[in-house]
Amino acid sequence: MRTLRLRNRLIRTLTAGTAIATLATGLAACGGDSDAATAKADAQGTVTVGRLSNGAAKETELKVSEVKSISAGLPESVRKSGKLVIGVGALPDGFPPLAYVGSDQKTLTGAEPDFGRLVAAVLGLQPELKNSTWENMFVGIDSSKVDVAISNITDTEERKKKYDFASYRKDNLGFEVLKESTWNFDGDYQNLAGKTVAVDNGTNQEKILLEWQSKLKEEGKQLTVKHFASKNSTYLALTGGKIDAYFAANPGVAYHVTQTAKSPDPTRSAGTYSGAGATLQGLIAATTKKDSGIAKPVADAVNYLIKNGQYAKWLGAWNLSNEAVSTAEVNPPGLPENNS
């Protein structure tokens, strides 16, 4: 997946209006590092996920202690440093619910920073979050200033030439509908026949939706695809009944569902689809410098969190349970080079 395509998918999860202004101001103010209060909590063996999330997550305390059989697998230089430097590419605007500045206007919060803190706890290391632009996050990995990037990075065969991966979440697209709607995608594009679906221009999901539209046309069925100038316009069309569904990056759908929960027009997820297409489940992966020796202990830490239930609680807190994986893998099959 090309960097531009991925950034489009991330940035398009933002909602318009005061939320964007607030997040952008906070990100500019906080720079790049983790806050002392969160670091202190991690050091005491408690990671609070959803902290300062401004309603995007259910705040949940998780007890996580070092697993020495896993931390022993870290490179000696990382063990001696006592910290895990975690790269996040959320500047300048953030991308809720994955990474953005919290309600205190300084703390980097979101599902991805929280997950980095959980992994660091299993490894017995102090988490140090380094927030940067998307491009500079990779520069940080390349220069060994960042141990691991946890920032919605898709596993691709092209990226494997330079990086190692430890998968931890499905790379999914999602359908958002009004809560009162009875329609569900159910993994079958034929269920879109007769529907009107909105999608953002220039995105991976648009490419997939237009392919489905062509297939349905060949079958004598109709799928109407709509584009709107902004997120607000799309959501107004949804609540006004002008569209049946909105097809977007699944984390963005999950975030908007939490934001509408108490509104007059709540929404829900109506199903997901792999961002890699029909033949491969796309995966989001923690990303390390190739042959650094960090990916394997990170994957082991993820599998420990899965086995002991903290992983499910983390995803549940951020309304991302539909992106759970059953196991973390080192360098699993990624998007092929002709589609990355």
Side-chain angles (χ1 to χ4, degrees):
M1 180 180 298
R2 293 187 294 272
T3 297
L4 177 61
R5 191 173 103 195
L6 181 57
R7 279 188 59 77
N8 281 341
R9 288 173 56 195
L10 295 177
I11 293 170
R12 287 178 185 273
T13 62
L14 282 167
T15 55
T18 56
I20 292 179
T22 299
L23 294 175
T25 300
L27 278 162
C30 84
D33 297 340
S34 60
D35 62 296
T38 299
K40 182 179 178 182
D42 289 344
Q44 294 173 342
T46 299
V47 179
T48 303
V49 303
R51 179 174 172 266
L52 304 169
S53 72
N54 204 21
K58 181 181 179 181
E59 188 168 320
T60 307
E61 283 193 0
L62 299 177
K63 298 290 186 182
V64 188
S65 299
E66 178 182 3
V67 181
K68 294 189 181 297
S69 60
I70 297 176
S71 61
L74 286 165
E76 184 178 1
S77 60
V78 177
R79 290 201 311 271
K80 284 186 174 180
S81 74
K83 64 184 180 181
L84 186 69
V85 183
I86 303 164
V88 180
L91 289 177
D93 297 325
F95 39 96
L98 298 182
Y100 61 103
V101 168
S103 54
D104 66 349
Q105 298 300 295
K106 63 179 182 179
T107 303
L108 189 63
T109 190
E112 304 289 62
D114 279 352
F115 195 62
R117 293 168 179 131
L118 287 167
V119 169
V122 176
L123 297 175
L125 299 172
Q126 187 80 8
E128 182 179 324
L129 298 171
K130 291 289 186 181
N131 192 20
S132 65
T133 62
W134 178 258
E135 293 82 5
N136 283 335
M137 175 181 65
F138 287 96
V139 172
I141 303 171
D142 296 342
S143 63
S144 299
K145 292 181 179 179
V146 165
D147 296 318
V148 57
I150 297 179
S151 195
N152 204 52
I153 301 171
T154 299
D155 168 21
T156 76
E157 294 304 313
E158 177 65 27
R159 286 180 176 149
K160 281 180 186 169
K161 295 175 182 178
K162 288 183 67 176
Y163 307 105
D164 286 326
F165 292 111
S167 58
Y168 64 93
R169 190 162 53 78
K170 291 179 181 177
D171 180 13
N172 279 344
L173 306 173
F175 288 91
E176 184 174 2
V177 300
L178 291 177
K179 192 173 182 179
E180 65 188 26
S181 170
T182 60
W183 181 83
N184 288 291
F185 176 60
D186 289 333
D188 186 352
Y189 76 91
Q190 291 192 340
N191 289 331
L192 292 164
K195 301 299 179 183
T196 299
V197 180
V199 70
D200 295 327
N201 276 311
T203 59
N204 184 43
Q205 53 265 28
E206 180 193 40
K207 175 178 175 287
I208 291 171
L209 191 64
L210 292 176
E211 289 173 354
W212 287 335
Q213 184 185 49
S214 296
K215 286 184 178 181
L216 287 169
K217 187 176 181 180
E218 291 173 0
E219 298 169 10
K221 302 171 185 176
Q222 182 174 339
L223 164 61
T224 302
V225 177
K226 294 282 189 180
H227 300 89
F228 295 92
S230 68
K231 289 281 188 184
N232 276 352
S233 297
T234 302
Y235 295 138
L236 285 172
L238 183 61
T239 58
K242 294 182 179 179
I243 59 174
D244 297 299
Y246 176 36
F247 190 37
N250 186 64
V253 171
Y255 175 71
H256 191 247
V257 167
T258 65
Q259 301 306 292
T260 65
K262 296 181 180 179
S263 75
D265 299 295
T267 62
R268 64 173 178 86
S269 169
T272 61
Y273 187 76
S274 169
T279 60
L280 179 70
Q281 174 59 60
L283 293 169
I284 300 299
T287 305
T288 69
K289 192 172 184 178
K290 196 165 189 66
D291 299 324
S292 66
I294 299 173
K296 176 62 164 58
V298 167
D300 289 343
V302 177
N303 283 321
Y304 175 85
L305 292 166
I306 291 172
K307 179 181 178 181
N308 289 276
Q310 297 101 330
Y311 173 83
K313 290 177 180 177
W314 159 67
L315 283 175
W318 285 100
N319 197 29
L320 291 170
S321 296
N322 58 10
E323 295 198 344
V325 295
S326 59
T327 187
E329 300 176 85
V330 175
N331 292 328
L335 268 68
E337 290 187 42
N338 61 4
N339 187 34
S340 60

